[in-house]
Amino acid sequence: SHIRKMLQTGSIPHEEQAVVSTRRPDFVLPNKNLYVKKSADALVLAAKTTLRERWKQVPMEQRNCTVFLATMDEKVTRSAVREMADLQITLVVPESFKSKGTVIEYAKESNVLTFKQFFSEEIGVRRKARWLELGLWH
């Protein structure tokens, strides 16, 4: 519900729990249609409070688009973070998780963004202009 609220507050185009075949990604941005077309302009934002081994379900949602996995789980192993990188999954975590001296030291991992980086850089800088150009952000 927090992620939904951030997307709504930022007027970021998205669809929640869009059913595509047998999949139901948590959030598809900017819309289901682009995701169904397997467009690289779409992205999936999966959300899992804790990961354990459940993160391994996420790659099935890729469909030629970037996948981001938001979590509040502080106990993700370095090997899991690197396995996610191999599968082109970017982890999205609270800013405090990327502080120096944290258990996993997320700051050293290239496929880990903070929520702030995700919303301001990935969405606000990398995606917004393209989605505006496609008429998908109003």
Side-chain angles (χ1 to χ4, degrees):
S1 63
H2 290 356
I3 293 172
R4 177 186 322 108
K5 185 69 173 169
M6 287 187 281
L7 292 167
Q8 290 170 341
T9 300
S11 300
I12 299 168
H14 68 282
E15 290 188 41
E16 189 175 351
Q17 299 283 314
V19 178
V20 178
S21 186
T22 60
R23 304 279 168 240
R24 189 185 309 188
D26 294 316
F27 300 95
V28 173
L29 288 76
N31 64 30
K32 177 181 173 180
N33 188 39
L34 214 56
Y35 177 69
V36 168
K37 290 180 181 177
K38 298 184 179 182
S39 171
D41 290 318
L43 70 83
V44 168
L45 177 58
K48 301 215 179 286
T49 306
T50 58
L51 297 186
R52 296 186 193 96
E53 294 298 309
R54 295 179 302 151
W55 71 265
K56 292 182 180 182
Q57 303 161 356
V58 173
M60 293 183 279
E61 297 173 352
Q62 278 180 313
R63 299 183 68 87
N64 194 43
C65 68
T66 310
V67 174
F68 295 86
L69 175 56
T71 189
M72 299 299 289
D73 193 342
E74 295 179 75
K75 297 176 180 163
V76 182
T77 65
R78 176 171 278 129
S79 62
V81 172
R82 292 187 175 158
E83 195 174 339
M84 288 178 216
D86 291 342
L87 296 168
Q88 287 92 41
I89 297 171
T90 299
L91 200 57
V92 181
V93 299
E95 288 191 40
S96 62
F97 288 18
K98 283 194 80 168
S99 301
K100 279 192 162 226
T102 56
V103 177
I104 301 301
E105 294 204 45
Y106 289 117
K108 293 182 179 179
E109 304 299 331
S110 63
N111 67 314
V112 179
L113 298 176
T114 65
F115 281 96
K116 182 178 180 179
Q117 289 172 313
F118 175 77
F119 284 104
S120 65
E121 296 169 22
E122 185 64 37
I123 302 298
V125 175
R126 291 186 188 95
R127 304 292 179 141
K128 186 175 184 177
R130 178 67 178 147
W131 293 348
L132 281 166
E133 181 183 307
L134 292 171
L136 301 172
W137 192 317
H138 307 286

